[in-house]
Structure formats: C-alpha cells, structure tokens
Amino acid sequence: MEKYILVTGVAGFIGSAVVEKLLSKGKKVIGIDNLNSYYDQKLKNDRLKNIEKISSNSNCNWKFEKIELEDSSKLKNIFKIYNPDIVINLAAQAGVRFSIDNPHSYIQSNLVGFGNILESCKEFRVKNLIYASSSSVYGGNTKMPFEEDDAVDHPKSLYAATKRSNELMAHSYSHLFDMPATGLRFFTVYGPWGRPDMAPMIFANAIFNRKPLKIYNFGKMLRDFTFIDDVVEAIVKCCYKPATVNEHFNFTNPTTSNSFAPHQIFNVGNSNPIELTKFIDLLEEFIGIKAIKVFENIQPGDVVATAANTEKLENWINFRPKVSIEVGLKIFVEWYKKYYCIV
C-alpha cells in the first residue's frame, strides 16, 4: 500500500503547487503549514482552498495540519500518524531583506525547524528527503553561471546563511544515518499564486495600480527567473530518485554537490537569465500599462546577478526547464488579473 508523502509549507507558493501536482498523480499527501503572517494570509488560505477543490474533485487522499516545525512533539506526532516515506520540506522563513531586521524568525524556522525535520526523518526511517535551498547561497560569487560545486562560503544575508546551513545539516544526517537527502537550490521562482514579496508580484501590483515602482541597482540586476511548473517537475522527479553515494568521491579534492554520503545538491533554474529592465518591459507589454519607474541603489543583502548551470540536474532526472520567460509571464499576468478581479 502506497504511503503518504509529507509536504511542509503547503500554503506557500511552491508548496501548494507541488501538492496540486502530487494529487493530480493520485498520490496521498499530508501537508503542514503554520500559516504565519509574513505576507497576506488570505493568499495562503486561498491556495489551500484551491488544493481542497482539486482533492474533492479527484477523490484524493489529502490531509492538512496547522503546525510549526519548531514544535518537535507535534511534528513527530504527524510522522507517527501518517508514516510518510517521502518528505518534501519547503517550509521556511523566506525573504532576504526581512532577515536583516528579523533574524530570530529565521533561526527558529530555518534552523531549529529544519533540525526537527531531520530528527523525525531519522526516527521514522524516511526513504527520501527533498528540501529547499536557494540560489542565494552563492552570495558574493561573480562567476556565471553558478555551478553546484562553486564555493558558497560568503553569504550576503542571514537567509542565505540558514539555507547553506540546511545543506550542511542534511549532509551530516545523510552520512550518520544513511538517509538519502536532496537539496534543491531554487532560482527566482515566479508564476500563478506567487509570493507578494517577490519581484514579479511587487512589479505587477505597482504597474496595475499605477504606483511608483522602485527598481534597485538602477535596473542592473540579472535574474534567472524560473517558472513554477518547471520547479514542480524537478521536485516531483527527485522524489522518485533518491540521492546516492558517490562511489568515486575524491577525498583529497572534495566537491560540494555530491558526497560519500547519500546526499546531493542541484540547481533548479531556467538557465536563461535576463536583466530586470527586460523583465519589466515584458510585464508592461502583457499588462498594457507603462510602469512609473524610480531607480534606486542596491539594497543590503541583494546580489547583483544569478544564473544557474542545470546540467547536473538534467543528467540526474532528465530535466530541462521548458517555459520561456515570455510564456511564463503571460500566464502569470492572466492569473493575476483573474485573482485580483482586474478587467
């Protein structure tokens, strides 16, 4: 009998999309989220309502529990009741800039919470752990595109530091307890149901409402925007191909992305970065309104450019992103109009 898949952060942007995909495949899913107030809780609840609608239409096995990862006893009780064999950890305190003024929430959620996930996975002998990392771990690197074996020792934000810490924590558990774990470094994910604190939603909101749009670093930012459907495909495919030991690991010249432990790290990006100004130009075109642009200096914690080399992931799961920025943005704008009732 097929077991449950546990997905954390299910009211979030990526988490809700992953659950929808799994349910469409007839999988049994237990989802957890703390529904915090970092951004609009209505959007989070509407994502959950959308999942409920999908599950009721397809008679899928879908369960939701509101808990925090920091509550180790409640988390372990979820594992005890549902006994998942695959865990997809997408819950985290997100946001680079928010971490500057609110470090405690990142330490609790991203470090303590993730530690509790690892402990539960160990205790209940989970067969595969997929967890979210971030392109922000590349920090001050200027060599493009970013490769998984590049040095990631110079984070530019606490958020990035917690994500790199997650990679190290997962590796240690993989080694000590023979627990397969895969870390996915996401590159600027966008699309329907996106996060309001991320550039696509911020830009669309400003343009539609004809408000001044702050463009940092005078628009000289390069981002590897990755459409949500491509990200979901990568996550789901990794669910069914657990990380393995690298039998040829070079102990005298070790690499970051694979190991003597069953632990691997992959970039998940579009591999086709564009300038922020080009991104805004496309948004203006699809929305049909010109932005009121206000150019400003770069903000603390921001990186100037991100670009993903995704060859390693392609070789591992035969994955290559399919959605171009033009197609993805058009879909995003159509969803935005529908969700916010814009005629």
Side-chain angles (χ1 to χ4, degrees):
M1 184 177 178
E2 189 172 24
K3 292 186 176 182
Y4 274 91
I5 298 173
L6 171 62
V7 184
T8 74
V10 292
F13 175 29
I14 299 176
S16 59
V18 167
V19 170
E20 289 179 20
K21 184 70 171 180
L22 291 171
L23 292 178
S24 73
K25 290 178 170 288
K27 303 300 180 182
K28 299 164 63 176
V29 182
I30 168 65
I32 62 176
D33 202 293
N34 67 356
L35 296 171
N36 69 26
S37 58
Y38 170 61
Y39 63 77
D40 182 13
Q41 289 176 308
K42 180 181 183 303
L43 182 60
K44 295 181 179 184
N45 284 310
D46 285 347
R47 290 179 184 136
L48 289 177
K49 288 176 184 176
N50 200 48
I51 292 172
E52 290 286 352
K53 183 179 178 181
I54 291 169
S55 64
S56 62
N57 289 341
S58 57
N59 296 316
C60 293
N61 283 297
W62 158 246
K63 306 288 183 183
F64 172 72
E65 299 283 349
K66 182 183 176 182
I67 69 164
E68 296 185 341
L69 298 188
E70 299 95 302
D71 191 330
S72 60
S73 61
K74 286 186 178 179
L75 183 63
K76 284 190 177 181
N77 194 48
I78 292 293
F79 274 78
K80 184 177 180 180
I81 293 171
Y82 295 98
N83 194 26
D85 61 353
I86 297 172
V87 172
I88 305 172
N89 185 65
L90 301 170
Q93 178 56 62
V96 168
R97 294 164 193 163
F98 190 71
S99 68
I100 296 172
D101 298 321
N102 302 273
H104 182 73
S105 60
Y106 289 78
I107 291 166
Q108 287 300 308
S109 180
N110 299 8
L111 298 181
V112 175
F114 188 64
N116 289 338
I117 284 286
L118 292 172
E119 271 293 295
S120 293
C121 287
K122 176 197 77 174
E123 183 176 336
F124 291 90
R125 300 183 180 277
V126 166
K127 293 180 180 177
N128 192 15
L129 167 64
I130 311 296
Y131 66 93
S133 186
S134 167
S135 62
S136 66
V137 301
Y138 291 105
N141 290 11
T142 57
K143 180 187 77 67
M144 297 288 163
F146 296 149
E147 297 182 20
E148 291 90 345
D149 289 326
D150 290 342
V152 284
D153 302 321
H154 303 92
K156 298 186 76 174
S157 67
L158 178 62
Y159 170 70
T162 62
K163 286 301 184 178
R164 178 57 182 146
S165 298
N166 287 171
E167 295 176 351
L168 297 172
M169 293 164 71
H171 180 275
S172 67
Y173 271 72
S174 292
H175 166 61
L176 291 170
F177 308 111
D178 194 30
M179 187 176 78
T182 299
L184 300 178
R185 292 173 177 168
F186 300 131
F187 281 69
T188 316
V189 186
Y190 75 100
W193 299 100
R195 270 177 32 209
D197 64 318
M198 292 187 70
M201 290 281 277
I202 291 172
F203 294 172
N205 180 63
I207 294 171
F208 272 115
N209 292 288
R210 293 171 172 82
K211 294 180 179 179
L213 172 57
K214 292 182 180 180
I215 303 171
Y216 296 103
N217 202 36
F218 303 95
K220 297 180 193 256
M221 309 273 272
L222 197 71
R223 289 289 181 269
D224 201 340
F225 291 99
T226 314
F227 193 65
I228 183 64
D229 290 4
D230 286 332
V231 171
V232 169
E233 181 183 354
I235 293 170
V236 172
K237 282 192 171 184
C238 283
C239 284
Y240 298 99
K241 191 170 183 182
T244 56
V245 170
N246 180 3
E247 301 289 353
H248 305 290
F249 186 76
N250 188 341
F251 286 86
T252 61
N253 186 26
T255 57
T256 302
S257 66
N258 56 57
S259 176
F260 51 84
H263 179 260
Q264 296 212 55
I265 293 171
F266 298 102
N267 288 336
V268 182
N270 187 262
S271 301
N272 188 25
I274 66 168
E275 283 196 356
L276 215 51
T277 50
K278 172 65 173 174
F279 185 88
I280 295 168
D281 288 344
L282 287 169
L283 261 182
E284 289 175 323
E285 178 184 339
F286 294 132
I287 292 173
I289 302 171
K290 280 290 183 182
I292 304 170
K293 300 172 185 175
V294 180
F295 293 97
E296 299 197 0
N297 291 318
I298 194 169
Q299 287 194 304
D302 277 354
V303 297
V304 174
T306 64
N309 182 321
T310 58
E311 289 180 12
K312 185 170 183 275
L313 186 63
E314 182 179 346
N315 292 333
W316 181 249
I317 57 170
N318 192 29
F319 164 81
R320 179 178 290 180
K322 300 181 180 70
V323 183
S324 69
I325 190 69
E326 292 82 4
V327 171
L329 268 184
K330 190 172 183 180
I331 294 171
F332 164 70
V333 169
E334 288 171 355
W335 167 83
Y336 190 100
K337 288 180 177 178
K338 182 178 180 181
Y339 183 75
Y340 291 104
C341 303
I342 298 171
V343 179

